[in-house]
Amino acid sequence: FGKLYGADLIGAATAAVVFLPAIAWLRGPDAVWLSALCCALASLLIAPDRLGRRIAGVSTVVSVVAIGGVLSGSGLLQVRSAVGWADGALLETRWTPLTRLSVLHQGETDLILLDNATLSTVVEHPGHLRPMRFMANRSLIYQLDVPQGPVAILAASAGPDVATAISYGFDEIDAIDIEGEIFELVADRYPGPLNPYHSDKVTQVVSDARSAMMRAPSNHYTIIQLVNANLFGASGMLANAWSPSLLTTKEAFDVYLDRLTDDGVLSMTDLRNTRWLVLSAVAALEDRGVAEPLRHIAYVAGPNEVLLLRPRPWTAAELATLNFAAETYFRSPLILNPMAPVDDVLHTLRFMPSRFDIVPPRPGATPPPRRRQPHGLPPTPEQLAEMKKAEQRAAPEPPSFRTDDHPYLDTPERALQSLRENTFPDGMLYRTLLVQGGLVLLFGGAIIGLPLLGRGRRAVAGELPAIGYVACLGAGYLSVETVLLYNLTLFIGHPTYTIATVVFSMLVFSGLGSMFADQGPDRAVARRLRMTLIATLALGLFQVFVVVGWMTDVLITSSLWVRILAAAVSLAPLSFVMGTCFPYGMRLVTSRAPRLVAWAWAVNGWMSVLGGLVTVIIARTLGYSAAMIVALSAYAVALTLVGRMQRGTQAEALAPSSADGVNTGARHQAAN
């Protein structure tokens, strides 16, 4: 059994690597036909009868025809995306292992559409730059007297912020984005002189933005800018568990402060939650020993609200310039002023005006120059009235600042509220998870549970510990894998490479462990199984809470292939022992109850799907440490079931089935 299960795991590991070129070869979801072909060929090889071979043969032919139709461009049996913009409205579409990139023409501007949910503007001529100069989150930072030097644009996407930096005279710019294909798409399709990805002033960095910052030299950048990093599609929000949310944690702000020069500035916007970034920034400054962290932070509200952070306190002259530019050019009030006493920052943040409450600049207004002389501007009655109006709206408070362990503002209470009110996009995410979980429970539970109806009570009682054991393994394995995907993203530096590395390494070493589990006498299986489960608990805790942090501290500046190899090697011990748990358990029960094998295998796969969904919910609401503890708790429960599993299967071996009890009893008597 161990060799069979090991081959299954190693085959899945191979698929994890083949998936990367396949999704580019067959255009995203059309790669499902390659999966169908593999399944059909496998069924054709082992089909036990003529009917099974016919079904497998028909499935093989359909899959081959579909793949041929996709590659020919005829659209035959092509899988289409039905979310967001219709395919007919798109000028071009490219699928990558990370997302779907499409070109959409809207008004007089082309937009790059990511995952059918996030838009990024393409700058083709000076008219496209003009609106950027009236957006505080894009241009306000350039009104300050920031010295010339390297600039980092995080989540650069189609390049509007990169083009804006060039237009203000900066000539050493790192454009950082995890989706490198977007650089190629914009460069190939828009060869004009304003295209930032044709400029020798721009260096393209294909990486997770936070990971790129961790590998950058200290005190290097004069400006670090982030104008939103969000994917509002359901799939994109699930991907947030691996990357974008890590850009706005307390630990992320500590990295940014280290990479800024003493006179540098961080400009950051988080679309719906910019105001709560202040809490993360304050926590990072306090960890660095800053006595008055609010002296380093300015917050400008308005239609394009923005947080500005400096490694040193703001000066009065800098704030006068900032206040003048915000009010005059962007019509955005300076709400959080570092020079003003703030007794309750959370109260101030909670009741500040929303980005949708302030009128945008008048069309045709003169764009601001690159530099302005300091001027003072006192608060206006309109600004005070806006504050009072905002207080009446009373936006909900977040639980605390974001951390790498809990990089979301979600709590169980907020998740339930978003479900009840169907807020966008959180309500959509949790509704999707609940629908998926409900379907998995309904159909999987029905298909797997129906055989119980034809069993005797005594037989069912004997089988339940074994079924519970493999259910714990299925839920625990994928839950641990999900947490490790998240923990290793920053270290490896790219979600796609992280998925391929973690999934491939864990499945290969687990497959080797499964094959190893075939060794040794049957009488020692129960003892080995207990030792294996204890080792899984210890190695899981050690991997997540010790190994990943140590590798990040020591090897983060190494080359990509060194980081990938280090991650794969670090996963080997844990994956190997996890791979032995299932075959050891099956060896324990199948000698006495062989019909449990197929059922146990089905339950294991079913619970792995459910475990992955539950892990996402736990991670978003309680944090990844809690998710890992819950995942390892499944192995702890499995450990407690080993003894009952032995006793239950012994009883099952002795008990006749309800369906053939008479004949079985007669055979026992004849044998005796």
Side-chain angles (χ1 to χ4, degrees):
F1 181 84
K3 292 183 176 62
L4 183 63
Y5 187 61
D8 177 70
L9 294 175
I10 293 174
T14 305
V17 176
V18 172
F19 167 79
L20 299 180
I23 200 170
W25 181 50
L26 292 175
R27 290 174 48 87
D30 292 302
V32 71
W33 293 117
L34 183 61
S35 302
L37 177 61
C38 293
C39 294
L41 290 174
S43 301
L44 194 61
L45 290 174
I46 65 171
D49 52 31
R50 182 177 297 178
L51 177 61
R53 287 190 292 272
R54 286 178 177 175
I55 294 174
V58 171
S59 300
T60 301
V61 172
V62 171
S63 301
V64 170
V65 171
I67 292 174
V70 172
L71 294 178
S72 68
S74 64
L76 179 66
L77 295 178
Q78 181 178 348
V79 179
R80 293 184 179 273
S81 173
V83 179
W85 283 266
D87 284 348
L90 304 178
L91 304 179
E92 180 181 349
T93 295
R94 297 185 186 182
W95 279 95
T96 75
L98 190 63
T99 187
R100 179 196 193 197
L101 296 176
S102 302
V103 180
L104 173 70
H105 186 75
Q106 199 170 74
E108 299 181 355
T109 308
D110 278 6
L111 305 169
I112 304 298
L113 181 65
L114 289 82
D115 196 32
N116 253 17
T118 303
L119 294 171
S120 184
T121 304
V122 177
V123 176
E124 298 181 74
H125 54 76
H128 292 157
L129 272 175
R130 188 180 184 85
M132 309 293 174
R133 289 178 170 252
F134 290 107
M135 298 180 183
N137 56 354
R138 299 183 188 274
S139 295
L140 179 57
I141 193 171
Y142 299 111
Q143 304 307 305
L144 306 175
D145 192 20
V146 181
Q148 283 285 342
V151 175
I153 305 296
L154 313 185
S157 197
D161 307 309
V162 183
T164 301
I166 294 174
S167 73
Y168 278 100
F170 287 86
D171 56 9
E172 189 178 351
I173 303 168
D174 288 341
I176 306 169
D177 203 285
I178 60 174
E179 183 48 87
E181 291 279 349
I182 200 168
F183 296 148
E184 298 179 13
L185 175 61
V186 174
D188 293 345
R189 190 176 177 90
Y190 306 98
L194 290 182
N195 189 321
Y197 300 137
H198 285 287
S199 173
D200 57 4
K201 301 176 181 179
V202 178
T203 301
Q204 300 170 17
V205 181
V206 181
S207 172
D208 174 88
R210 164 86 175 278
S211 183
M213 288 291 98
M214 294 168 69
R215 298 193 301 273
S218 298
N219 306 114
H220 179 65
Y221 294 106
T222 57
I223 291 176
I224 299 175
Q225 186 178 40
L226 171 65
V227 183
N228 305 324
N230 294 283
L231 292 174
F232 278 167
S235 59
M237 291 192 68
L238 290 173
N240 274 359
W242 300 327
S243 183
S245 54
L246 286 171
L247 294 171
T248 56
T249 64
K250 177 193 74 172
E251 294 85 352
F253 277 97
D254 191 52
V255 171
Y256 303 145
L257 289 166
D258 275 340
R259 272 57 185 178
L260 284 170
T261 62
D262 291 339
D263 290 326
V265 184
L266 169 69
S267 173
M268 181 169 284
T269 302
D270 188 24
L271 200 60
R272 300 177 303 116
N273 298 304
T274 304
R275 66 187 65 188
W276 304 123
L277 299 182
V278 174
L279 302 180
S280 298
V282 167
L285 289 164
E286 288 177 341
D287 277 358
R288 300 166 70 89
V290 176
E292 296 182 290
L294 292 176
R295 301 294 184 191
H296 299 245
I297 300 170
Y299 187 95
V300 175
N304 296 285
E305 55 194 353
V306 60
L307 167 72
L308 300 172
L309 175 67
R310 306 199 81 142
R312 60 164 175 78
W314 292 84
T315 66
E318 290 167 345
L319 287 170
T321 301
L322 175 63
N323 199 16
F324 174 82
E327 290 280 4
T328 304
Y329 299 116
F330 304 102
R331 302 185 66 184
S332 301
L334 179 62
I335 297 298
L336 195 59
N337 188 331
M339 304 302 290
V342 180
D343 297 328
D344 185 354
V345 175
L346 186 61
H347 180 83
T348 302
L349 295 174
R350 183 184 182 196
F351 297 123
M352 69 173 54
S354 166
R355 63 187 295 267
F356 300 107
D357 294 332
I358 299 179
V359 180
R362 297 183 305 275
T366 304
R370 182 172 182 272
R371 296 284 189 264
R372 296 294 304 177
Q373 295 299 320
H375 293 278
L377 191 67
T380 63
E382 291 79 8
Q383 182 177 338
L384 296 176
E386 193 64 42
M387 287 286 291
K388 186 174 182 180
K389 185 191 302 182
E391 185 170 352
Q392 296 172 352
R393 286 190 297 271
E397 298 180 11
S400 181
F401 54 84
R402 292 167 167 171
T403 66
D404 282 353
D405 182 60
H406 191 185
Y408 312 102
L409 296 177
D410 302 31
T411 62
E413 296 77 16
R414 287 169 66 93
L416 289 174
Q417 180 183 2
S418 66
L419 273 173
R420 288 194 301 267
E421 300 177 0
N422 195 24
T423 56
F424 179 83
D426 297 329
M428 176 187 66
L429 170 68
Y430 287 110
R431 285 176 181 269
T432 300
L433 289 171
L434 285 180
V435 169
Q436 290 178 348
L439 291 175
V440 170
L441 280 173
L442 177 63
F443 292 107
I447 293 171
I448 293 173
L450 283 176
L452 287 173
L453 300 178
R455 315 275 299 161
R457 181 178 300 177
R458 186 175 179 182
V460 171
E463 292 167 348
L464 283 180
I467 296 301
Y469 172 82
V470 295
C472 288
L473 295 189
Y477 192 97
L478 202 67
S479 297
V480 169
E481 187 176 67
T482 300
V483 176
L484 290 173
L485 283 168
Y486 169 80
N487 282 345
L488 285 166
T489 292
L490 285 180
F491 175 70
I492 294 177
H494 195 283
T496 301
Y497 297 139
T498 303
I499 295 170
T501 300
V502 173
V503 174
F504 177 80
S505 303
M506 289 191 67
L507 291 175
V508 165
F509 288 116
S510 293
L512 296 176
S514 178
M515 294 179 179
F516 173 81
D518 272 345
Q519 310 300 318
D522 287 344
R523 65 178 180 274
V525 168
R527 179 175 58 83
R528 288 189 177 188
L529 180 54
R530 289 188 177 94
M531 293 176 59
T532 295
L533 290 167
I534 293 172
T536 298
L537 295 173
L539 288 172
L541 293 172
F542 186 68
Q543 175 73 26
V544 169
F545 297 107
V546 177
V547 174
V548 175
W550 178 83
M551 288 196 307
T552 302
D553 292 339
V554 175
L555 299 174
I556 188 63
T557 57
S558 303
S559 67
L560 172 63
W561 290 111
V562 169
R563 299 196 306 274
I564 289 176
L565 180 61
V569 171
S570 74
L571 292 169
L574 173 62
S575 304
F576 187 88
V577 296
M578 290 173 71
T580 64
C581 296
F582 190 59
Y584 273 149
M586 289 299 96
R587 283 186 64 185
L588 192 63
V589 302
T590 53
S591 60
R592 305 177 182 92
R595 60 186 163 192
L596 278 176
V597 174
W599 200 7
W601 208 318
V603 171
N604 182 266
W606 172 50
M607 287 302 295
S608 67
V609 177
L610 191 62
L613 296 174
V614 172
T615 301
V616 172
I617 296 175
I618 295 174
R620 289 191 68 92
T621 56
L622 299 176
Y624 280 90
S625 292
M628 189 61 177
I629 296 300
V630 172
L632 292 177
S633 296
Y635 283 91
V637 173
L639 179 61
T640 66
L641 292 173
V642 173
R644 295 183 59 190
M645 188 164 55
Q646 280 183 288
R647 295 190 296 271
T649 51
Q650 287 171 353
E652 160 70 12
L654 296 175
S657 168
S658 61
D660 60 350
V662 175
N663 292 333
T664 303
R667 285 195 296 270
H668 275 291
Q669 289 178 1
N672 291 333

